[in-house]
Amino acid sequence: MSSKLAATPSFAVTIRAAGERTEDECFKIVKEQAAQQASVSIVRKKPFKEALEECFSLGVASQKKWLITVDADMILLPGAIELLIREAENMPENYLQL
């Protein structure tokens, strides 16, 4: 599947993992969809609050316009990241998250 992300703004992706058996597959799919447009990090922290804080810290440190967080038990449909970025770009400026 060819990606149309080259024309989109920069983004980073974090995957929150807590031992899910789907972690490797999730990472593989996210990397394929993000192509060269984004860094993909895995956060393995507990409790959830600490994992979330780490995701946000990585997002801020990346200096990217968008941060996409994915739980490791999610297997994304084809084109999901492209769709998220497109929808985020179309949100009103005062919206914080999608």
Side-chain angles (χ1 to χ4, degrees):
M1 175 176 179
S2 65
S3 176
K4 299 174 188 165
L5 290 174
T8 63
S10 59
F11 63 96
V13 182
T14 60
I15 297 172
R16 290 187 303 257
E20 294 89 347
R21 63 184 175 86
T22 53
E23 179 184 325
D24 291 340
E25 188 65 17
C26 177
F27 181 79
K28 178 182 152 204
I29 290 169
V30 168
K31 276 301 270 186
E32 286 172 0
Q33 289 193 26
Q36 301 300 317
Q37 301 297 315
S39 62
V40 179
S41 304
I42 298 179
V43 172
R44 296 180 185 98
K45 287 200 170 194
K46 293 180 185 177
F48 179 75
K49 177 185 179 291
E50 287 185 24
L52 206 51
E53 288 172 351
E54 179 69 15
C55 289
F56 292 152
S57 293
L58 289 168
V60 170
S62 76
Q63 298 185 337
K64 304 292 185 181
K65 183 173 182 180
W66 301 108
L67 170 65
I68 298 173
T69 57
V70 178
D71 288 336
D73 60 353
M74 299 299 296
I75 303 299
L76 301 181
L77 293 172
I81 290 190
E82 184 178 330
L83 175 64
L84 283 170
I85 294 297
R86 187 175 66 237
E87 291 300 316
E89 282 296 302
N90 290 323
M91 290 188 315
E93 288 293 318
N94 62 328
Y95 281 37
L96 178 62
Q97 72 181 39
L98 171 69

